[in-house]
Amino acid sequence: MTIIDDTAELRASLADQLAEILDSPLWQNAFRAVPRHVFAPRFAIHDPVTRTLVHHDVTDVERRDAALAAAYSDDTLLTRFSEDGTAISSSTEPSLMASMLQALDAQPGHRVLEVGTGTGYNAALLCHALGEGNVTTIDVDRHLTDTAADALAEAGYRPTVVCGDGAAGVAERAPFDRIIATCGVDRVPAAWLTQLAPHGAILVNISKGIVLLRRHHDGSVSGPFLSPAGFMPLRADTDPDRLAPRAIVEATSNEADSTHTTSELPELPFAMGAFFANLIADRSQLLFLHGHDDTVSSYRWVHPQSNSWARVDLADDHATVHQAGPRQLWNDMTPVLESWQAAGRPGIERYGLTVTDNGQHTLWLDQPGQSVMPLPA
């Protein structure tokens, strides 16, 4: 394998930072060996202080040292942008990658499908730990798969790289002992269940949480949410563009065809609201608007697939709900919030998910079968 000598110390330092997360030498050695900058030679990092993007280029001799230091930091590297400046591809922060690889519990010899090739860095870590012949990675973006394949070869790895719809999996390489998705979904695609080995597991970002789903004898998969997270959504060529915040506000401002209700409403953190919203209405978007005093003044929720929306205007002691479209979105949200409030306002980590072999998704609290909530198809 080709190793860039001037990054050996940086790679070792990164691996040392992740030691508290990684108790397995398998993954510690992978982070110590794989050169991250090969997969992201040009990238940007968001500066939380200035709220601006800082751009780096490891091929620029004068700026190389700073770029390399940034490449081996525990930060998400934004590597590709749309025409309007929205980040559409990235290299996830290494601590989150490490925690996901640790939770995946993959062992040498396991066949793994990675959905969301991105830069190829995660695929390289899988190759180093499990053997390149056991790794298949898929992405819908031809530019990404071509670039990732080149970077993987430069780093010394040649897994199976496929350009295609990640939701369809890669049937010709199945069955897979593990499926890991480095992108977000709101439902587990049926093909993943079909292509999963009898004792396999799926690790995926569903809605706003990472969940580990293990296969059971009845064909279902089930498991707990491990932590909050929000990856870029799984994309297909036919997917409509996500709405910008301004478009969400405009879509939820028309009251001509809306129904109105007034009710009490528990204080809702955005993380939990977005978690429930995407589970109730897949590929929906929730936006919180703030007033002049920086308190939340309104929830705006759109579900483009059904052309439905809901708006909740908040006052001191009540909320006024406006909603329109074939789906009465807030009517679906109300019993979920009531159940959440009655359970003591639990966080994402107390929830889990079961998916049957016919695709029925059920959310549960603390253990399967408890406080269950079947999710719409």
Side-chain angles (χ1 to χ4, degrees), residues 51-129:
R51 297 184 179 183
T52 59
L53 292 179
V54 180
H55 292 266
H56 295 278
D57 184 350
V58 299
T59 66
D60 185 333
V61 175
E62 294 182 358
R63 301 164 56 202
R64 179 177 172 82
D65 288 346
L68 286 176
Y72 290 93
S73 65
D74 190 22
D75 282 303
T76 295
L77 312 182
L78 305 177
T79 55
R80 195 175 179 210
F81 299 84
S82 63
E83 291 183 359
D84 65 0
T86 302
I88 58 175
S89 186
S90 65
S91 177
T92 303
E93 62 188 72
S95 57
L96 179 53
M97 296 175 68
S99 64
M100 291 181 68
L101 290 170
Q102 179 94 355
L104 187 65
D105 191 29
Q107 302 298 323
H110 275 169
R111 294 172 60 83
V112 175
L113 171 65
E114 178 196 40
V115 181
T117 306
T119 66
Y121 180 51
N122 196 66
L125 294 169
L126 289 166
C127 287
H128 188 88

Side-chain angles (χ1 to χ4, degrees), residues 198-232:
H199 300 289
I202 299 172
L203 185 69
V204 59
N205 173 209
I206 293 182
S207 182
K208 300 301 178 182
I210 294 175
V211 63
L212 178 63
L213 304 170
R214 293 189 179 275
R215 173 80 85 180
H216 297 293
H217 62 84
D218 62 358
S220 68
V221 294
S222 185
F225 282 91
L226 306 179
S227 63
F231 283 85
M232 295 179 185

